[in-house]
Amino acid sequence: SERLAVSVRIITIPTPEGSENQIFCEGATVSEIQVTGNELIWYRNLTGNEQVPEDELIQDGVYYVSQRIEFCESARKEIRTSIYPVATASVDSEQVFCESTGAKVKDLFAVGDELRWYRSPFGGQALDENENLINGETLFVANVSAINGCESLVRSEVSVIIQSCNLEIYNMVTRDGNSKNEYFRIKNIEFYPDNRLEIYNRNGVLVWAANGYGTDGRFFYGESNQPNVPQPELGLPTGNYLYRLI
C-alpha cells in the first residue's frame, strides 16, 4: 500500500515560574506559594501521582509543581519552603481590673513583639486597643513578629475579671497569736500599689510608715518600724492609733 505522510508537532510546556526558595508564616497554605502558571498541579515528589491539596498547611520541605496547558503537562518545578516560627505570647490567664478605671484592650498585659487581641482562638478581626473590656469575657492574643509581621499560630487565652476595688479598712490589730486580726488589713489595697501608710499614736508621734502598703509583705503587725520607738519587737502598747493613707 502507499505510505501516508503524517506531520507530528511536539509541544514543550515550560515549567511554572517562581522562586525556588520561599519563606512563609505559620498557617500558610500551599495555595500561597508564589508560582505563576496555568492550571497548577502540586505534587509531593518529583515523580509519582501523589498530589498535594492547595488548602494543606505548608511545612518545611520541598514541593513540586507543574502546569497544564490544554492536554499537556509540563515537567515539575522544585520549590523549597521554610516556615518562620513565631513564639506564642506569654500572658497571665486571668487579669483583674477595677470597674472604676474603665479598662480597655490596651490595658491587658502580655509579653511579645507586637500584640493583636481577638475574641476567638482562630480567625476573626483584631480588636481596637481602645475597646472597653467586659467582665467575664475571654480574649485571645497573638504575638506578631516585628521582623516580618508573621503572627503566632497559637493565640494565648485570657479571662477578664472586672470588679469593685473600693477600699475596705479593718481597723483592729491584735497580737494574741490566734491568727485573727494579726495585721492591719485594707481590702483591695493591692490595686493601689503607689500608696503610703503612716500610723501615729494618740500624741501624734509617727510609729510606723511604709510606701506601697500591702505589697511585698509590707503590713503593720502592731510593731513600730521607726527609730525613735525603743524595743519595737515588744510591740506597741494597747490603745487607739491614727492612720494616714495617701
Side-chain angles (χ1 to χ4, degrees):
S1 64
E2 294 184 3
R3 297 179 178 178
L4 178 65
V6 177
S7 295
V8 176
R9 183 163 63 101
I10 303 298
I11 300 175
T12 301
I13 306 299
T15 58
E17 296 183 0
S19 174
E20 295 180 355
N21 296 282
Q22 300 187 29
I23 300 176
F24 298 90
C25 300
E26 289 181 293
T29 62
V30 171
S31 64
E32 297 176 62
I33 299 177
Q34 299 299 303
V35 175
T36 301
N38 185 71
E39 292 187 34
L40 298 175
I41 307 170
W42 292 95
Y43 294 93
R44 297 197 188 281
N45 303 292
L46 182 59
T47 60
N49 297 322
E50 185 180 1
Q51 297 185 14
V52 180
E54 288 194 345
D55 59 356
E56 182 175 296
L57 294 179
I58 297 172
Q59 306 293 328
D60 287 324
V62 179
Y63 295 87
Y64 299 89
V65 61
S66 67
Q67 67 171 328
R68 177 180 286 129
I69 298 178
E70 295 182 355
F71 301 104
C72 297
E73 184 176 341
S74 71
R76 299 175 187 180
K77 181 180 180 66
E78 179 181 294
I79 305 290
R80 293 186 174 272
T81 58
S82 299
I83 298 298
Y84 185 89
V86 179
T88 303
S90 178
V91 299
D92 293 329
S93 60
E94 287 188 351
Q95 299 193 24
V96 182
F97 301 90
C98 298
E99 60 185 4
S100 60
T101 62
K104 302 180 183 300
V105 170
K106 64 183 178 182
D107 298 316
L108 291 163
F109 176 77
V111 177
D113 290 350
E114 298 177 7
L115 303 169
R116 289 183 190 145
W117 291 91
Y118 297 86
R119 296 197 185 279
S120 59
F122 307 101
Q125 184 175 357
L127 300 176
D128 187 289
E129 66 173 10
N130 290 313
E131 185 169 335
N132 290 326
L133 296 178
I134 301 172
N135 181 44
E137 70 179 339
T138 300
L139 298 180
F140 302 84
V141 59
N143 184 23
V144 181
S145 170
I147 298 175
N148 56 18
C150 285
E151 188 174 292
S152 61
L153 188 60
V154 177
R155 297 174 184 174
S156 301
E157 181 176 329
V158 173
S159 296
V160 176
I161 300 173
I162 299 177
Q163 64 182 35
S164 171
C165 297
N166 295 331
L167 296 179
E168 186 174 351
I169 298 174
Y170 300 81
N171 59 354
M172 177 178 289
V173 177
T174 60
R175 289 172 48 83
D176 52 13
N178 67 356
S179 300
K180 296 180 179 179
N181 303 313
E182 56 186 355
Y183 68 91
F184 184 44
R185 184 185 175 200
I186 304 177
K187 184 179 179 180
N188 293 327
I189 192 64
E190 65 272 16
F191 295 110
Y192 307 92
D194 297 327
N195 68 72
R196 177 175 174 80
L197 179 67
E198 298 172 351
I199 296 178
Y200 299 84
N201 65 18
R202 61 183 179 180
N203 296 318
V205 177
L206 181 67
V207 296
W208 195 92
N211 294 321
Y213 188 78
T215 63
D216 299 326
R218 298 186 185 96
F219 294 99
F220 174 61
Y221 289 91
E223 299 176 357
S224 176
N225 65 356
Q226 297 302 299
N228 62 316
V229 178
Q231 297 181 298
E233 69 278 2
L234 297 179
L236 294 167
T238 299
N240 294 325
Y241 292 81
L242 303 175
Y243 69 85
R244 180 170 180 255
L245 180 61
I246 307 172

